[in-house]
Amino acid sequence: MNLRPFIKTHIKTIMTNFDVQRGPFDSFLREYYKNNKTLGPSERSIISQTAFDLVRNDLLLSHFTKDVDRKCDLLPHISNYEKDQNIPLNIRCSCPEILFQLVSDQYGQKRAYEFFMALNTKAPLTIRINPIKTTREKLIKEMNQLYFKKTLTSPYGLIVSKENNVNLTDTDQFKEGLFEIQDEASQVCALRVQCQPNDKVLDYCAGSGGKTLAFAHQMEGKGVIEINDTRSEALSKAKIRLRRAGIMNYSFFTKKFKYDWILLDVPCSSLGTLRRNPDSKYRFSQERLNDLIKLQQEIFDQAIRFLKQDGVIVYTTCSFLKDENQNQVKHFCNKYNLSVVDNDYFQSLPEKGGMDSFFSISLKKN
Ligand SMILES: C[S@@+](CC[C@H](N)C(=O)[O-])C[C@H]1O[C@@H](n2cnc3c(N)ncnc32)[C@H](O)[C@@H]1O
């Protein structure tokens, strides 16, 4: 790859010092840029793109060489190596063997390979307009220096064209709360919380409020939204984002009510967002997965106590593993005598150019 020597030096330093077991890679890169303030935006962009590609394709590149410079040289030819029948399939899509085997057992080898190939591509940049303050049409007009394509499944999503080189969070429209950056699948899952004015809603794993923001407008400012998470710093961020979006009817979890809607966006293996966090595939282990499955069940046990008799609990993951999705749902339904609302669920599987891979299902007491 024709990279300037000083860019190559930075990439080499980053790749040599990054310890995948201590990830995530995006936080590591942010820290690196903080300590290397002389790097300008375009230099950072080249470094990030190349470094992310190196991480995504690390198993395949490491099949040929351990040297970072040489890996950079191989990157432009990666599609040739991906087709090489002499290389084991899991290496061709840079997926650790244990993970590849697990996904092959569930979906077959061919689909497992297609999934991980799709997850090795760059995710589209998608925003969700805030329907309290604007519409997709108005925002497209207002931000006419950018190119947008409307999402087909989420009614509020816009995919930002790749040619744009604008930092979206620096724009006036972002600062005024007209939009948030959010993948389409995440928007669709949040909208399974079909709350109405005067409902009581609990977002039990709210994090920094990504999904709270995406369902809250339906309440038209009336009723109660409570947010909960074990990370208080994430909840503080959620407060700032909710205020920016013009949502005022929220508070932290009071444990005072039984709720009409509970959203459980549980911690999971996050395999469905590997395009954004490619390093997490190298941290996958059966042990970690077992711990997550247990945690998901504990969170469900804690939260369901707060569901009204005729309320709905929406269970969501960004994973495509059946053990975190369908098998968990079977467990919850048996344990608590629940049924699936409308016999229906949402799932986006990894697909080139598509949404992140999410699973979401609405459950009701019988
Ligand atoms: C998938 S993330 C949620 C993302 C968030 N809903 C969003 O859309 O931005 C899962 C969240 O669960 C939180 N969490 C982990 N254990 C928890 C527990 N026992 N109770 C509540 N939240 C928990 C994590 O801190 C994390 O923020």
Side-chain angles (χ1 to χ4, degrees), residues 204-211 228-231 265-267 295 299 302:
Y204 195 79
C205 301
S208 54
K211 298 208 180 42
N228 177 62
D229 203 280
T230 43
R231 292 181 302 131
D265 183 20
V266 292
L295 177 60
I299 289 176
Q302 290 160 20

Side-chain angles (χ1 to χ4, degrees), residues 15 49-65 71 74-79 81-82 90-95 116-117 119-122 278-279 281-282:
M15 299 313 290
Q49 271 181 43
T50 312
F52 264 95
D53 278 344
L54 289 172
V55 173
R56 282 187 186 105
N57 297 294
D58 188 57
L59 277 191
L60 182 52
L61 295 167
S62 298
H63 183 77
F64 297 101
T65 177
K71 284 181 182 175
L74 291 179
L75 260 185
H77 313 287
I78 197 84
S79 58
Y81 307 119
E82 286 163 356
N90 74 295
I91 306 275
R92 281 161 56 190
C93 59
S94 278
C95 178
F116 287 106
M117 287 301 287
L119 291 165
N120 277 345
T121 58
K122 205 169 163 236
D279 48 308
K281 64 185 167 187
Y282 305 118

